[in-house]
């Protein structure tokens, strides 16, 4: 192996790295463009089909750019459109410099970057470099022989003493994290699907290839990268370390120095295991951390998301506010309720009974926090979970794998399906509902996955007609972020964290103050406003201009008042 300039790591052994504060408060005076912007995630397979094959594509995205411009988003996080066998819906990449034929061509990609740019929208690519597809040329060369030139681009180990896998590490999608290659007699490591072999970041030649590929994309004019499971690239499987490995932040520092420095781009670290303290280290080298503490707060300690816990607003608020406090002056938050791996926000945190009101309330309390907010496609109209009732309706490899495992163990299928209905990844992967036509305006053909059951009533066309609809609220929030330094930079001051129905906080800044109080429940509530939150000013949306004393809040009502 080539001599590696990165010789030593900085994090201790174990799964989570260091929680101690690592950096002094940041003193950046100039705001960055991504601090003023609202992000929008497109999962391309389900956004818009242009040719009737039932699969969303790049020309389809091009045809909907006016929708995104009207919404007021500043950048689009584009989930993978690279060449891929689609074992994990594009997160198994066979060629980082080619477009999957079902999504279009590189010419379509170039046109999307250019046309979005004309509307003030930057395209942010999904960087998936913890692993590749087993059909990538690197892996094909690596598995050719034990002496192959690219053998060390991946993680290979001899069988264990019993002839089985080298360690007992399990894959995130279920089953062993090692697969035997019969031709060479060694196992390769994969934290996800066997068709997603993990790249070996210990190899400087591999890192150089990745840096060159990133530079190639940036030279095309993209706005940056969202870095998929980037916390895993420092793994040391021989020691049982998968997350926050000892050289993780050295690798990120090298990436910043060789690729990102000198470019006005965004870099987003997806980090499931990040804590409020460890997240500060990500922000030393990257723009922001995309963490999931508020998501996992509602998961079962043993069975995870397949057995969700009862909703606990106090616990959710505590997590959200802890992150606001921890990164104040030390980093930057990503704000989101959902993405392509998570259930729909309204179904998970809101109310399908009060769908419109809860969608607007969830948007408001999230987007008025400090950080960069993300809208997941369809969230801007309050789309709900898919409503699937049969395993045959699911397409997600994770759901299907765990169903097979649970049934082999003698598990209760009804209980599993209930968990999948609540938290399965396909809830967010049904096509965007543009109108009430048979194909929901998504396709003229047969969609690759069933439409969500709500599409006749919940769609862009009908919501756009409502001046007080969900779309209107999201547009207003995006505009407010662009215009208000208090929204962007004000310090978050939590209030009444223990209240089981009301979420309340202030945003304090030398140029003004915003007070927010929201009833996040299906029941009306009479709530006593803390004296430290009370104020009079300009209502940001419909509602009173004064917040003080005892107030009656209707289900999912939000009061937001600005002093400026």
């Amino acid at each position: 192996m080539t001599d590696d300039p990165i010789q030593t790591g900085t994090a201790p052994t174990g799964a989570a790295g260091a929680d101690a504060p690592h950096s002094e408060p940041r003193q950046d005076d100039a705001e960055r463009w991504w601090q003023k912007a609202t992000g929008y995630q497109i999962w391309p397979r389900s956004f818009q089909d242009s040719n009737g094959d039932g699969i969303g594509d790049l020309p389809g995205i091009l045809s909907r750019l006016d929708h995104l411009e009207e919404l007021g988003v500043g950048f689009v996080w584009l989930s993978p459109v690279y060449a891929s066998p689609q074992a994990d819906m594009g997160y198994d990449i066979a060629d980082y410099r080619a477009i999957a034929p079902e999504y279009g061509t590189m010419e379509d990609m170039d046109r999307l970057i250019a046309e979005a740019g004309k509307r003030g929208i930057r395209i942010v690519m999904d960087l998936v470099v913890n692993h590749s597809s087993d059909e990538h040329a690197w892996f094909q060369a690596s598995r050719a022989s034990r002496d192959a030139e690219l053998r060390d681009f991946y993680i290979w180990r001899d069988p264990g003493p019993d002839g089985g896998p080298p360690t007992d590490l399990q894959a995130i999608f279920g089953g062993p994290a090692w697969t035997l290659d019969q031709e060479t007699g060694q196992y390769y490591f994969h934290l996800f699907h066997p068709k997603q072999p993990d790249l070996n970041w210990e190899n400087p030649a591999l890192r150089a290839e990745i840096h060159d590929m990133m530079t190639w994309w940036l030279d095309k004019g993209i706005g940056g990268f969202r870095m998929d499971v980037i916390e895993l690239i420092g793994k040391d499987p021989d020691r049982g370390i998968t997350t926050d490995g000892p050289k993780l932040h050295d690798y990120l520092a090298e990436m910043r120095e060789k690729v990102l420095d000198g470019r006005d781009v965004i870099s987003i670290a997806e980090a499931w295991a990040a804590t409020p303290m460890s997240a500060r280290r990500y922000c030393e080298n990257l723009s922001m951390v995309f963490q999931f503490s508020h998501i996992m707060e509602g998961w079962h300690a043993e069975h995870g998301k397949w057995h969700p816990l009862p909703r606990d607003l106090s616990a959710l608020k505590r997590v959200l506010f802890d992150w606001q406090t921890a990164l104040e002056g030390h980093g930057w938050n990503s704000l989101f309720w959902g993405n392509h791996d998570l259930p729909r926000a309204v179904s998970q945190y809101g109310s399908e009974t009060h769908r419109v009101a809860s969608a607007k309330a969830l948007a408001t309390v999230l987007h008025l926090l400090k950080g960069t907010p993300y809208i997941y496609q369809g969230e801007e109209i309050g789309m709900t979970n898919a409503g699937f009732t049969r395993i045959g309706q699911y397409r997600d490899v994770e759901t299907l794998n765990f169903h097979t495992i649970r049934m082999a163990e003698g598990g209760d299928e009804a209980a599993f399906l209930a968990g999948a209905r609540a938290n399965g990844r396909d809830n967010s992967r049904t096509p965007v509902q543009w109108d009430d036509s048979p194909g929901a305006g998504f396709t003229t053909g047969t969609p690759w996955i069933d439409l969500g059951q709500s599409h006749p009533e919940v769609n862009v066309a009908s919501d756009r007609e409502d001046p007080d609809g969900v779309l209107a609220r999201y547009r207003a929030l995006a505009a407010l972020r662009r215009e208000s330094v208090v929204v962007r930079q004000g310090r978050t001051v939590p209030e009444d964290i223990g209240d089981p129905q009301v979420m309340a906080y202030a945003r304090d800044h030398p140029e003004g103050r915003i007070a927010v109080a929201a009833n996040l429940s299906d029941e009306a509530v009479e709530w006593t406003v803390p004296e430290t939150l009370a104020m009079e000013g300009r209502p940001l949306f419909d509602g009173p201009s004064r917040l003080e004393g005892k107030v009656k809040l209707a289900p999912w009502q939000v009061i937001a008042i600005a002093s400026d």
Side-chain angles (χ1 to χ4, degrees):
M1 182 181 293
T2 306
D3 288 342
D4 187 350
I6 296 178
Q7 295 295 332
T8 59
T10 52
T13 58
D19 271 354
H22 187 81
S23 61
E24 293 301 313
R26 294 158 66 103
Q27 301 296 330
D28 298 340
D29 292 327
E31 285 189 291
R32 305 297 299 274
W33 64 265
W34 38 264
Q35 293 177 318
K36 302 178 182 180
T38 297
Y40 186 97
Q41 185 192 355
I42 288 180
W43 201 72
R45 199 172 191 85
S46 291
F47 188 69
Q48 179 64 60
D49 171 25
S50 71
N51 60 7
D53 67 356
I55 297 172
D57 47 42
L58 293 174
I61 297 172
L62 276 155
S63 74
R64 296 292 187 180
L65 284 178
D66 288 347
H67 171 76
L68 301 178
E69 182 180 21
E70 176 190 5
L71 192 55
V73 302
F75 66 95
V76 165
W77 154 21
L78 181 63
S79 287
V81 292
Y82 313 97
S84 166
Q86 301 293 326
D88 185 24
M89 296 300 177
Y91 283 87
D92 50 317
I93 297 170
D95 189 340
Y96 290 97
R97 304 190 196 208
I99 300 298
E102 60 263 47
Y103 293 145
T105 66
M106 189 58 73
E107 289 73 23
D108 293 327
M109 187 71 230
D110 290 337
R111 191 156 59 97
L112 176 60
I113 295 169
E115 291 298 321
K118 292 176 183 177
R119 294 165 170 81
I121 300 171
R122 307 186 194 213
I123 300 299
V124 174
M125 297 296 284
D126 218 326
L127 184 73
V128 188
V129 289
N130 172 71
H131 50 267
S132 75
S133 167
D134 65 344
E135 298 183 26
H136 195 289
W138 294 342
F139 189 74
Q140 293 300 308
S142 178
R143 77 187 311 175
S145 74
R146 292 195 179 202
D147 299 323
E149 181 180 358
L150 300 188
R151 187 70 169 179
D152 285 344
F153 269 39
Y154 296 85
I155 300 170
W156 296 92
R157 296 291 185 269
D158 289 328
D162 62 353
T167 74
D168 60 0
L169 285 172
Q170 295 294 294
I172 292 169
F173 288 166
W178 299 93
T179 291
L180 179 65
D181 178 62
Q182 297 288 347
E183 295 298 318
T184 61
Q186 283 191 314
Y187 282 83
Y188 66 88
F189 186 72
H190 54 86
L191 269 172
F192 293 89
H193 193 280
K195 288 186 67 62
Q196 294 170 290
D198 278 36
L199 292 161
N200 178 20
W201 276 73
E202 290 272 358
N203 187 339
L206 179 275
R207 299 200 304 272
E209 288 282 353
I210 291 172
H211 297 159
D212 187 64
M213 174 269 293
M214 293 174 68
T215 300
W216 184 83
W217 275 106
L218 290 172
D219 287 345
K220 276 184 168 291
I222 66 167
F225 297 100
R226 174 265 187 185
M227 301 179 180
D228 183 65
V229 293
I230 201 68
E231 64 187 341
L232 304 179
I233 64 172
K235 69 182 73 65
D236 185 346
D238 297 326
R239 298 162 63 194
I241 299 172
T242 57
T243 299
D244 285 353
K247 296 182 182 178
L248 168 63
H249 293 286
D250 296 324
Y251 295 151
L252 296 180
E254 181 187 55
M255 179 189 291
R256 173 182 55 77
E257 294 165 2
K258 292 184 178 297
V259 180
L260 302 173
D261 276 355
R263 294 179 182 265
D264 188 19
V265 297
I266 190 174
S267 50
I268 309 157
E270 183 194 30
W272 282 82
T275 67
M277 291 297 108
S278 69
R280 296 180 179 186
R281 295 207 62 196
Y282 286 97
C283 294
E284 292 175 4
N285 292 301
L286 305 176
S287 305
M288 66 187 73
V289 63
F290 200 99
Q291 55 77 30
F292 297 82
S293 298
H294 62 298
I295 304 298
M296 295 186 290
E297 183 279 323
W299 290 4
H300 190 279
E302 180 182 355
H303 301 293
K305 68 181 183 180
W306 306 110
H307 292 269
L309 301 175
R311 190 175 304 172
D312 184 343
L313 180 60
S314 295
L316 177 64
K317 289 189 294 182
R318 188 166 288 107
V319 172
L320 290 171
F321 289 141
D322 281 351
W323 277 86
Q324 290 283 297
T325 301
L327 291 191
E328 177 64 39
H330 293 276
W332 196 255
N333 278 290
S334 298
L335 308 172
F336 68 98
W337 289 122
N339 69 9
H340 64 288
D341 286 332
L342 302 173
R344 288 288 178 181
V346 167
S347 298
Q348 183 74 352
Y349 301 103
S351 167
E352 295 188 10
T353 303
H354 298 273
R355 184 186 62 81
V356 172
S358 69
K360 291 163 60 178
L362 290 172
T364 304
V365 298
L366 187 77
H367 285 235
L368 293 183
L369 290 172
K370 187 172 185 177
T372 296
Y374 292 77
I375 304 167
Y376 179 70
Q377 62 184 40
E379 183 181 315
E380 72 271 30
I381 58 168
M383 279 182 63
T384 54
N385 277 355
F388 291 168
T389 58
R390 296 175 288 103
I391 193 63
Q393 292 176 284
Y394 289 91
R395 299 291 179 268
D396 173 40
V397 62
E398 180 187 49
T399 301
L400 297 176
N401 279 1
F402 273 104
H403 178 264
T404 299
I405 292 168
R406 294 289 185 265
M407 294 309 98
E409 295 171 344
D412 182 340
E413 183 169 39
F416 180 87
L417 288 175
R421 196 155 49 246
N423 272 318
R425 299 197 301 180
D426 280 339
N427 280 310
S428 59
R429 299 180 179 187
T430 57
V432 174
Q433 297 163 187
W434 297 102
D435 59 38
D436 62 359
S437 66
F442 164 72
T443 185
T444 57
T446 301
W448 71 276
I449 190 172
D450 287 353
L451 297 171
Q453 62 182 6
S454 67
H455 86 271
E457 299 81 29
V458 183
N459 55 72
V460 173
S462 62
D463 195 276
R464 184 175 279 128
E465 293 176 356
D466 183 358
D468 195 32
V470 185
L471 262 174
R473 177 58 57 90
Y474 274 97
R475 284 196 300 268
L477 288 165
L480 190 59
R481 178 161 295 274
R482 291 192 302 270
E483 298 161 1
S484 172
V485 69
V486 181
V487 172
R488 297 192 303 271
Q489 298 294 342
R491 182 172 60 93
T492 302
V493 182
E495 297 283 0
D496 205 358
I497 296 177
D499 191 284
Q501 288 178 266
V502 176
M503 180 171 180
Y505 59 90
R507 299 292 309 284
D508 284 341
H509 188 272
E511 295 189 20
R513 188 170 195 257
I514 293 174
V516 179
N519 177 8
L520 301 186
S521 78
D522 283 343
E523 304 296 329
V525 62
E526 185 175 78
W527 180 67
T528 301
V529 180
E531 291 184 5
T532 49
L533 185 67
M535 66 175 286
E536 184 175 2
R538 172 176 57 89
L540 295 178
F541 311 103
D542 290 341
S545 59
R546 180 177 297 173
L547 186 63
E548 63 181 0
K550 288 188 179 294
V551 295
K552 292 183 178 180
L553 295 170
W556 300 98
Q557 181 184 356
V558 181
I559 297 174
I561 299 172
S563 66
D564 56 348

